Amino acid sequence: MKSPDRAPEPANPTLDLWRIDRHGRLDSTNEEARRRALAGDSGHLWIQADEQTAGRGRHGRVWTSPVGNLHASALIVAPCETELAPQIGFVAGVALRRAVDDLGGTAIRLKWPNDLVHDGAKLAGLLVEGVTTPRRAFAAIVGFGVNLAVSPEGLTYPTANLSRLLGRLVTPEDLLARLARRFDEALALWARGAGFAAIREEWLAAAAGLGGPIVVAAPRGMRAGVFEGLDARGRLLLRSADGVETFESADLTLLPSPPSGERDPIPSESFSESRP
């Protein structure tokens, strides 16, 4: 449902080669993109909302969605073979960081698997979901939630917002105009998976915590070690005294690095399933 106090817009306005569908309030831009895919939309579509009433992050977590921040989802039909879909999160992360950099946010880093951070504070999150269209095609829905004007409070982790970092107001329209272009560029570089090595290289160049101590919470338990990088498929590599392990889906916590000359205080044994 469109916001009644918003000035009328032309039908199917465009942002470069993307169509854009703007809303005052939605349950979730990802859910609206899903509805559009199931209704047979051809894709290359952005869904944007001023606010969301049921925004979500990974694993069904609540995503706080106040007015002033960016809540937008891109719908792409048949972007790649289904088994390559996890790579789209890295493509989106690279695109989002490029777009933020265009606005002057040069100190922003990428945190595996799907966050933008500044000095350890969360600035943005991504959520990639898949759906099968009525014509049996795979469609990817890429949700972007970016703190532009408001840093949500009361969470278990610190947050930041781009307007405060840059010292000037950044609107959702400011960022989305750049993000749409950068996403097109990153998708072209990725080339339906053939160019993932280049995406991976750019992602690693901006990675938060690379080479430092981390804790990983995965279905098989919690592990601590050093963030070694990403493998050729984008899985996290953790190095401990037991060797190098790979993680395809997990929650990552970055730990302070020990002072120069001191040994890394991270033990190699497994932790329990409970959070520290």
Side-chain angles (χ1 to χ4, degrees), residues 94-163:
V94 165
L96 180 56
R97 188 183 179 278
R98 288 182 182 182
V100 170
D101 186 75
D102 290 340
L103 290 166
T106 56
I108 308 302
R109 312 297 286 176
L110 289 160
K111 177 174 175 286
W112 188 91
N114 67 342
D115 292 343
L116 242 60
V117 296
H118 179 269
D119 285 344
K122 187 165 181 173
L123 183 69
L126 302 171
L127 178 63
V128 181
E129 299 178 306
V131 63
T132 301
T133 73
R135 295 187 177 185
R136 309 305 299 169
F138 165 69
I141 299 165
V142 189
F144 296 81
V146 187
N147 299 335
L148 295 181
V150 180
S151 303
E153 299 178 349
L155 304 177
T156 58
Y157 50 83
T159 60
N161 71 73
L162 193 58
S163 293

Side-chain angles (χ1 to χ4, degrees), residues 188-203:
L189 177 63
W190 176 54
R192 298 173 59 88
F196 182 64
I199 291 292
R200 174 182 172 274
E201 181 179 359
E202 184 171 344
W203 194 98

